[in-house]
Amino acid sequence: MALPVVKTLAECADFSSTVLPYIYQLRPLPQIIFESISNPAALKQIYLDTNPLMSAFAFSLFLSPIFLLTSEINRNYSQVDRMWSLLPTTYNAHYVI
């Protein structure tokens, strides 16, 4: 199950019950996605089986080197600022889905 079961507001804010049990999903995620890249049904199942926080964190880790490389090439160190109009919408849509 990708989402934690929480019943109170205090449980929602508890790192040990909402985040910590799902960190194990982060490490194998890139390999699993790479192996299933040509199968849309498998990608959908990976998306449903992975905690949304872990997949959003993996997406952020994927984007970080791209922004770093682009900023070094252009000598403009605010490349992520260009994406601020799109990234919040992308993350919000991800959490809604």
Side-chain angles (χ1 to χ4, degrees):
M1 189 159 146
L3 295 175
V5 177
V6 291
K7 296 180 175 145
T8 66
L9 187 59
E11 288 178 340
C12 290
D14 185 19
F15 181 82
S16 64
S17 66
T18 58
V19 177
L20 204 54
Y22 301 97
I23 290 180
Y24 75 92
Q25 294 177 337
L26 190 60
R27 188 167 191 206
L29 191 58
Q31 183 66 27
I32 293 170
I33 291 173
F34 182 72
E35 291 170 355
S36 306
I37 199 75
S38 62
N39 186 352
L43 287 174
K44 180 181 177 185
Q45 192 60 43
I46 292 167
Y47 187 78
L48 293 174
D49 292 341
T50 305
N51 184 292
L53 182 63
M54 294 302 116
S55 55
F57 188 55
F59 182 64
S60 297
L61 290 174
F62 171 76
L63 289 178
S64 297
I66 294 171
F67 291 144
L68 178 66
L69 184 64
T70 306
S71 67
E72 288 295 327
I73 290 171
N74 292 330
R75 297 285 184 215
N76 180 356
Y77 300 104
S78 62
Q79 293 298 315
V80 75
D81 293 342
R82 294 179 181 186
M83 296 301 292
W84 274 119
S85 61
L86 300 173
L87 286 177
T89 306
T90 303
Y91 285 113
N92 285 331
H94 165 67
Y95 287 124
V96 166
I97 291 172

